Amino acid sequence: MVRELLEKARELSIYTAYNTNVDAIVYLNDEIIQKLIAEFGAEAVRRRMDEYPREINEPLDFVARLVHALKTGKPMAVPLVNEELQPWFDSHFNYDVERMGGQAGIIANLLANLDFREVLVYTPHLAKRQAEMFVKKPNLFYPVVEDGKLLLKHPWEAYRENDPVKVNRIFEFRAGTTFRLGSETITVPFSGRFIVSARFESIRIYTEPALKPFLPEIGQRIDGAILSGYQGIKLRYSDGKDANYYLREAKKDILLLKREKDVKVHLEFASIQNRELRKKVIYNLFPLVDSVGMDEAEIAYVLSALGYDKLADRIFTYNRIEDTVLGGKILIDEMNLELLQIHTIYYIMYIAHADNPLSEAELRNSLELATTLAASRASLGDVTSPDQISVGMSVPYNERGEYVKLRFEEAKRKQRSREYKLVIIPTRLVPKPVSTVGLGDTISTGAFTSYLAMLKEKGAL
Ligand code: AMP
C-alpha cells in the first residue's frame, strides 16, 4: 500500500525553495564533549546554561546550549551570528562529512532520488560548492532567466561563481553517550543533533527580482510547492532592509505561484528562536498557504505566539497528546489551514477540517508513507532510490505506539471533534539511526506529496 502510494506521488511535479546550505557534520563522542567542558570549566558552562543564550556570540554560548541539548536529547538549532567565530569552530573540530543541508536542498534531493516527474528547486545563493551538493539526476532543475525567458537547468549547470555559501555545523549525538559536568553525570537520553546555523548578513531568503515574474509560469508547471527557510530571515539588516520587507516579498511569491492555478503550497515551519520573527512568519504566511508541517517543539511556540500561553505551557510541561490536538485545532481554525501535520518522535498527526476531500483512512495512509520514508532515511542515512522504501517497511513501530493511539482516541472522544478530521500514527523508529538530519523534512515531504497524489486521483487538485 505504501509502495503504491509512493508510485502515485512520483508522478507529481514539485517546486521547492528557499534554503540550502552546506552541512558540515561532527559525530560527537564523550571525549569531544568532555574536552569542551574542560576548556571552559563545568561551573561556567552550568551558569551559561541557566542563562540559556538564544544566539551564539562566543564559544561558551555554544558549549552551554550544546550540553543543554545533550541533557534533554532534544534536537535544537541555535543561530551563529558572529561570523568571526568560524575559525574557532574550524580549529576545534574535524568535520566528518559535508553534505546538502537546508530544507529546500534536502527536499529537492530526496524528491529527485525518488524519481518524481519534475523537481524544481530555487535557492537565492548558488555557489559552486553549494551546487555540487545536489544529486545528479535528470529530473532536477534550477530556474534561470536568460534573454527574458525561463530556462530550467540542472543546478550543476546553473551556479554563480561569486555567490556566498552558508555552512551550518551539525553535531550529531547518540543516545547513551555519557559524560560529566562537574559532579553531575549526564547520559544522553535520545539520539539527535545540535545545529549551529550560520546567520550572516550576506545570506538572504528571497526570490531574485528577475525570476519573480516567472513564478506564475512555474506555478502552472507544478502540482505543489514546498516552501521553507523563513527562519533564516533576520529582523534587521545593515542596508536598512528588515523582516517586514522580506516577508512582504515572501507573500508575493506565494500569490504569484498561485496566480494561474491554485497550486497547493506547503510551508515547513522550523524553529524560530526570536518570538517577534516567529509571530511575523505565522501571521504573514500561514493564512496564504494550504498546509503547514512542524515538529513537537514548534506547536507550543506557535500557540504561545498566538497568545495561548497557558496551553503552550501545558504542552511544554506535560507534552500530552490531548493538548497537542487542541492546539492543532486552534491553529487550523485561526489560520484557516487545509492541513496541519505535526511530527514528534513517537507519533505523527494530521489535523484537517471535516470537509477535507480525503477520508481519515486516506490521511492515515499518507502519514504511513511519511514515517516509512523517514525510517528508510534513518536506517540508510539517505534515500537514493524509490525501492529503498522497503527498508523502512521492515522497521517496527515504536513501543509507545499503542499507548499513543489510546490517548489519542481518548482525546478525540473527550473533545468536540465532529468538525475535524484527526488522524495519528505511531512512528517507525530506528533505534540507532545513521543520521537524524532531514528526518522531519522527509516526513513532511512524504506526507504532503502523498496527500497531493490522493487529491489528484480524486480530481480535487
Ligand atoms: P525534526 O525535528 O523536524 O527534524 O523531525 C524529526 C522527526 O524525525 C521526529 O519527529 C521523528 O518523527 C523522526 N525521527 C527521529 N528520530 C528517528 C529515528 N531514529 N527513526 C525514525 N524516525 C525518526
Side-chain angles (χ1 to χ4, degrees):
M1 180 210 63
V2 164
R3 219 189 285 268
E4 285 88 68
L5 189 49
L6 180 60
E7 290 298 313
K8 273 184 221 156
R10 285 172 48 203
E11 287 163 25
L12 303 174
S13 295
I14 304 288
Y15 175 74
T16 184
Y18 297 82
N19 55 333
T20 61
N21 61 266
V22 174
D23 274 350
I25 300 171
V26 177
Y27 296 105
L28 286 174
N29 56 33
D30 49 348
E31 199 185 320
I32 302 177
I33 302 165
Q34 211 63 74
K35 241 167 83 182
L36 280 173
I37 295 174
E39 186 170 336
F40 296 91
E43 215 21 66
V45 173
R46 202 177 285 136
R47 267 201 308 275
R48 191 60 59 93
M49 280 168 78
D50 289 341
E51 288 166 22
Y52 199 72
R54 300 274 170 172
E55 293 178 343
I56 298 171
N57 269 303
E58 53 172 340
L60 185 54
D61 295 335
F62 158 70
V63 179
R65 287 297 305 264
L66 174 68
V67 173
H68 182 272
L70 293 168
K71 204 170 161 175
T72 56
K74 291 218 169 126
M76 300 252 181
V78 184
L80 170 65
V81 288
N82 181 352
E83 209 159 346
E84 285 160 25
L85 281 193
Q86 298 212 84
W88 182 86
F89 281 99
D90 296 341
S91 65
H92 275 69
F93 301 102
N94 289 321
Y95 304 111
D96 297 299
V97 191
E98 269 200 5
R99 65 177 193 198
M100 175 64 85
Q103 293 149 306
I106 289 171
I107 291 167
N109 275 352
L110 174 67
L111 291 171
N113 277 333
L114 290 172
D115 290 340
F116 270 60
R117 182 185 300 271
E118 223 174 49
V119 184
L120 273 57
V121 60
Y122 178 70
T123 189
H125 311 290
L126 190 68
K128 186 160 187 237
R129 184 168 168 208
Q130 185 65 62
E132 282 170 353
M133 298 280 141
F134 283 100
V135 293
K136 199 174 185 182
K137 287 275 183 170
N139 57 344
L140 180 60
F141 302 100
Y142 184 89
V144 187
V145 179
E146 272 175 24
D147 302 328
K149 281 208 200 71
L150 177 70
L151 296 183
L152 297 179
K153 294 186 174 180
H154 189 277
W156 291 15
E157 261 90 61
Y159 69 84
R160 290 166 297 249
E161 208 56 78
N162 296 321
D163 273 13
V165 187
K166 172 174 152 102
V167 179
N168 280 356
R169 295 165 178 88
I170 306 212
F171 298 85
E172 293 258 7
F173 51 82
R174 281 195 174 281
T177 303
T178 301
F179 61 93
R180 293 184 69 78
L181 180 65
S183 54
E184 190 183 355
T185 301
I186 295 173
T187 299
V188 179
F190 302 105
S191 297
R193 72 271 182 274
F194 180 77
I195 304 178
V196 177
S197 54
R199 259 326 122 67
F200 307 138
E201 274 276 325
S202 53
I203 306 287
R204 313 265 171 128
I205 294 290
Y206 70 106
T207 302
E208 63 203 281
L211 181 62
K212 240 170 153 98
F214 293 94
L215 287 177
E217 190 178 329
I218 290 176
Q220 269 180 317
R221 269 187 102 96
I222 55 172
D223 298 292
I226 305 178
L227 303 180
S228 53
Y230 305 105
Q231 69 276 13
I233 297 175
K234 287 160 75 90
L235 280 173
R236 242 155 249 102
Y237 296 86
S238 56
D239 61 5
K241 295 214 169 77
D242 60 8
N244 286 338
Y245 168 81
Y246 284 103
L247 285 169
R248 266 197 312 273
E249 292 302 315
K251 287 205 276 196
K252 284 187 207 158
D253 286 1
I254 297 171
L255 295 173
L256 286 167
L257 280 170
K258 284 175 171 281
R259 198 175 76 189
E260 299 299 320
K261 176 171 123 190
D262 186 16
V263 57
K264 298 276 182 204
V265 175
H266 173 90
L267 186 156
E268 187 59 17
F269 191 75
S271 143
I272 301 179
Q273 303 270 330
N274 184 288
R275 192 182 159 95
E276 200 182 327
L277 179 66
R278 190 190 309 142
K279 206 164 157 178
K280 279 184 195 293
V281 170
I282 297 167
Y283 278 103
N284 277 278
L285 302 181
F286 281 21
L288 295 185
V289 302
D290 305 279
S291 162
V292 170
M294 62 180 71
D295 75 12
E296 55 193 325
E298 289 318 317
I299 182 77
Y301 281 121
V302 167
L303 289 167
S304 139
L306 294 181
Y308 295 91
D309 286 301
K310 272 199 195 139
L311 180 59
D313 281 345
R314 277 215 306 275
I315 296 178
F316 278 129
T317 322
Y318 305 111
N319 224 333
R320 281 194 302 242
I321 289 186
E322 58 198 77
D323 291 328
T324 308
V325 172
L326 182 61
K329 289 199 267 191
I330 290 173
L331 193 55
I332 67 161
D333 281 338
E334 298 215 344
M335 296 291 149
N336 201 0
L337 296 172
E338 178 174 320
L339 190 66
L340 172 66
Q341 176 258 112
I342 301 170
H343 47 271
T344 78
I345 189 91
Y346 297 117
Y347 64 86
I348 315 177
M349 186 188 285
Y350 264 148
I351 300 163
H353 287 115
D355 63 358
N356 190 285
L358 298 194
S359 67
E360 288 197 343
E362 288 167 320
L363 289 171
R364 209 170 290 119
N365 289 345
S366 164
L367 294 181
E368 190 55 58
L369 173 66
T371 192
T372 308
L373 209 53
S376 299
R377 185 177 171 110
S379 307
L380 301 168
D382 200 4
V383 173
T384 52
S385 73
D387 52 302
Q388 287 178 343
I389 187 82
S390 57
V391 176
M393 286 161 71
S394 57
V395 174
Y397 295 108
N398 71 78
E399 80 279 11
R400 293 209 202 173
E402 282 311 307
Y403 172 78
V404 162
K405 273 201 273 191
L406 228 67
R407 297 306 305 260
F408 177 72
E409 291 306 328
E410 208 177 276
K412 245 174 122 171
R413 271 199 308 276
K414 275 207 299 212
Q415 297 174 16
R416 270 193 342 163
S417 53
R418 264 199 313 158
E419 289 129 56
Y420 305 92
K421 283 181 181 163
L422 292 166
V423 298
I424 197 172
I425 58 148
T427 50
R428 295 179 183 272
L429 213 55
V430 178
K432 286 208 162 84
V434 173
S435 157
T436 61
V437 175
L439 290 181
D441 305 331
T442 303
I443 288 175
S444 293
T445 303
F448 181 61
T449 57
S450 56
Y451 175 75
L452 289 183
M454 285 189 274
L455 281 187
K456 198 168 184 180
E457 199 178 39
K458 293 205 158 175
L461 190 69

